[in-house]
Amino acid sequence: MTEETSEPEILCEVRRVDKDYDQGGGAVLRVLQGIDLAVKANEVVALLGPSGCGKSTILRILAGLTQPTRGEVLDHGVPLRGLNPGIGFVFQSFALFPWMTVSRNVEAMLEAHSLPRAEVAERAARAIKTVGLAGFEEAYPRELSGGMKQRVGMARAFSLEPEMLFMDEPFSQVDALTAESLRAEVLDVWAPKDRNPKSIVMVSHDIKEVVYMADRIVVLDANPGRVRTIVENTLPRPRDYRSPGLLQLVDRLHDIITGMEMPDVAEVDGASQAFEPLPHAGGGEIEGLLEYLDARGGREDVFRIAADTDREYGQVITATNAAELLGFVDTPHRTVVLSAEGARYVKASPAERKAVFREKLLELLLFQQVRDAIRKAGSGQVDRDYVLELIAMNLPSENFEATFDTFVNWARFGDLFSYDEISEVVAPSEEMPVGA
Ligand code: ADP
């Protein structure tokens, strides 16, 4: 039977899915919000987004490993009960049993699926050969390189011949060259239409990787995780990392992501009364970014920074947003440029740096209001709960505890306020003449 003209079959799907985590004390962390995503037959779907945006959670919900708080999970159009049996996983961490040989690692997975003994041996041998590990059947994981360990991980997943292969950051722990070959090999296994896996769903924060692999790229927003946009990738296969088409799409995704995470906030005339959300980057990270920019002549492309400093771009963008909020950098398009204030900071002595940082903090409403509250309080200090309430009321969509942690980090970094974890009290630091 041919189905050339019909819509592709939908293998699994989430509809209007939310996921909340209870943080205790009535606080709830919303990790996913309103996720709609269908995995069709014969496609590679990639979930792309910064760390913590909920990519793995989406995989786990589709697989039936985690229940959504709201919404539906379907397996071939039917509500999913328990685990989805059609999914094989490849994890970032390889997840191998160190006391078992390569063969036993693969066989144990098949045995767990209650396959007959002869079939276990036959499937394991075939999968090990497929991933190029013939001759290493009796080796132990400790004797293998990272790339070879991941080949065992892939053999385990392939040996199950699952309808869908789910891969969670599968190549982020192997060197770049090995990652390139592993990607190509996974696609070779996926390509024949008459064989499983029919479809692949992968999680990645590597833009080049997803453009190389995927037919559809689901770009996610963080806090809470939402589908920002879905980009169709019709580049012909096999793909070449250096082809103009691929580089163009990489560029477009860069723009989508930076557009998402580096909003050029419209300047409000006069004093804005809105609290600014604090990007959760530590003072040391902000300082590191400024020093890096200074060493690069004052400007650099944000993705170049991530590559150079071996950071995830999500992290670099957060540090950049923090530095921008404090007036240390500007971000025209994708470039991060040291501002005059940023340059002043880098050139200053350690003590002067603290003073500049403090000055910048006191341009933010949250820090001003805490300073004013401390001045008014007879005790010369305020409680953690007071600051939390201030944050919760003025930044209702932010995670107020994370914001408080960043507030404390910055205040300490600039010697503005101290915070005592035991008494949960925020007080002026010695450097800060708050009472004056
Ligand atoms: P990603 O894969 O995009 O890095 P995850 O899906 O792993 O993101 O996590 C999304 C968010 O959910 C993170 O903020 C993480 O801390 C939170 N999270 C994940 N699992 C749990 C859990 N069991 N309890 C509480 N929070 C969780």
Side-chain angles (χ1 to χ4, degrees):
M1 189 171 71
T2 58
E3 295 183 24
E4 296 297 321
T5 51
S6 57
E7 281 287 304
E9 181 193 0
I10 291 179
L11 305 184
C12 68
E13 187 174 2
V14 286
R15 289 191 188 158
R16 296 178 307 277
V17 155
D18 294 344
K19 179 69 184 174
D20 295 339
Y21 281 111
D22 196 343
Q23 295 191 296
V28 163
L29 174 68
R30 171 141 314 166
V31 171
L32 295 174
Q33 184 166 306
I35 303 287
D36 282 308
L37 182 67
V39 180
K40 298 178 216 151
N42 305 318
E43 69 168 351
V44 180
V45 185
L47 308 180
L48 176 71
S51 177
C53 73
K55 303 182 292 293
S56 306
T57 306
I58 296 176
L59 283 195
R60 290 205 307 272
I61 289 175
L62 280 168
L65 290 164
T66 301
Q67 305 304 314
T69 308
R70 274 169 292 281
E72 290 178 278
V73 190
L74 304 178
D75 172 21
H76 294 85
V78 179
L80 178 66
R81 307 237 174 280
L83 298 183
N84 188 325
I87 294 172
F89 260 97
V90 178
F91 298 100
Q92 174 182 26
S93 60
F94 318 133
L96 305 181
F97 300 121
W99 61 88
M100 287 185 186
T101 62
V102 167
S103 274
R104 288 299 303 145
N105 260 288
V106 179
E107 288 169 0
M109 176 70 88
L110 292 163
E111 283 161 7
H113 284 75
S114 314
L115 287 169
R117 183 72 211 130
E119 198 174 340
V120 165
E122 192 262 319
R123 280 203 197 194
R126 196 168 40 186
I128 289 169
K129 197 157 161 247
T130 303
V131 300
L133 284 181
F136 290 91
E137 288 84 352
E138 298 312 311
Y140 285 88
R142 64 171 179 276
E143 301 171 288
L144 306 177
S145 67
M148 288 165 89
K149 283 185 197 145
Q150 194 53 301
R151 286 179 191 275
V152 183
M154 283 158 50
R156 281 216 295 213
F158 293 159
S159 70
L160 292 169
E161 294 169 20
E163 188 177 42
M164 284 171 281
L165 185 65
F166 277 22
M167 304 200 295
D168 196 344
E169 302 269 6
F171 311 124
S172 57
Q173 301 283 326
V174 299
D175 67 272
L177 222 57
T178 308
E180 283 198 14
S181 13
L182 292 180
R183 285 178 205 128
E185 289 171 34
V186 168
L187 291 179
D188 283 346
V189 171
W190 161 78
K193 293 272 186 288
D194 56 346
R195 250 189 18 216
N196 279 337
K198 275 191 190 162
S199 301
I200 297 177
V201 184
M202 63 183 296
V203 157
S204 179
H205 63 265
D206 181 333
I207 299 179
K208 266 203 162 156
E209 171 167 288
V210 305
V211 173
Y212 178 79
M213 304 263 318
D215 299 300
R216 286 195 302 145
I217 300 159
V218 181
V219 183
L220 295 156
D221 252 336
N223 301 316
R226 272 165 299 190
V227 176
R228 164 83 175 196
T229 185
I230 297 182
V231 175
E232 302 280 340
N233 180 0
T234 54
L235 291 170
R237 297 179 188 273
R239 293 175 182 159
D240 173 354
Y241 291 95
R242 286 155 293 272
S243 75
L246 189 138
L247 294 173
Q248 242 169 34
L249 188 53
V250 167
D251 237 32
R252 201 178 129 212
L253 282 161
H254 275 167
D255 286 348
I256 291 172
I257 290 161
T258 41
M260 153 172 92
E261 302 199 27
M262 295 168 72
D264 282 321
V265 181
E267 295 289 331
V268 181
D269 281 344
S272 153
Q273 285 309 303
F275 271 41
E276 304 83 352
L278 306 186
H280 305 311
E285 248 179 297
I286 299 170
E287 182 170 76
L289 174 71
L290 302 183
E291 285 172 348
Y292 168 91
L293 286 171
D294 184 54
R296 312 284 304 192
R299 61 191 301 138
E300 191 50 273
D301 178 284
V302 67
F303 291 96
R304 190 58 209 275
I305 302 175
D308 273 2
T309 57
D310 210 19
R311 297 276 186 90
E312 242 186 69
Y313 65 75
Q315 244 176 308
V316 173
I317 288 171
T318 304
T320 304
N321 283 337
E324 185 168 29
L325 178 65
L326 293 167
F328 291 136
V329 301
D330 292 315
T331 55
H333 198 43
R334 271 164 38 195
T335 313
V336 188
V337 182
L338 204 58
S339 68
E341 292 296 273
R344 174 159 83 99
Y345 181 90
V346 178
K347 300 272 176 295
S349 69
E352 286 164 351
R353 282 187 176 187
K354 298 273 179 209
V356 177
F357 203 88
R358 213 156 41 231
E359 196 182 295
K360 292 290 160 193
L361 292 181
L362 286 172
E363 287 174 12
L364 302 179
L365 220 51
L366 171 61
F367 291 84
Q368 287 170 17
Q369 293 211 358
V370 172
R371 176 200 57 192
D372 295 346
I374 288 175
R375 277 181 176 163
K376 281 195 205 121
S379 57
Q381 55 189 41
V382 293
D383 293 343
R384 173 176 187 267
D385 283 351
Y386 172 85
V387 182
L388 282 181
E389 206 174 299
L390 202 58
I391 295 168
M393 280 169 44
N394 288 283
L395 292 166
S397 62
E398 292 292 299
N399 174 337
F400 52 85
E401 287 187 321
T403 299
F404 180 78
D405 290 345
T406 303
F407 164 84
V408 168
N409 178 295
W410 291 10
R412 283 176 174 162
F413 195 79
D415 276 346
L416 177 61
F417 310 127
S418 64
Y419 175 62
D420 184 322
E421 263 100 13
I422 310 288
S423 58
E424 301 199 327
V425 154
V426 178
S429 96
E430 281 169 26
E431 298 299 317
M432 174 63 204
V434 170

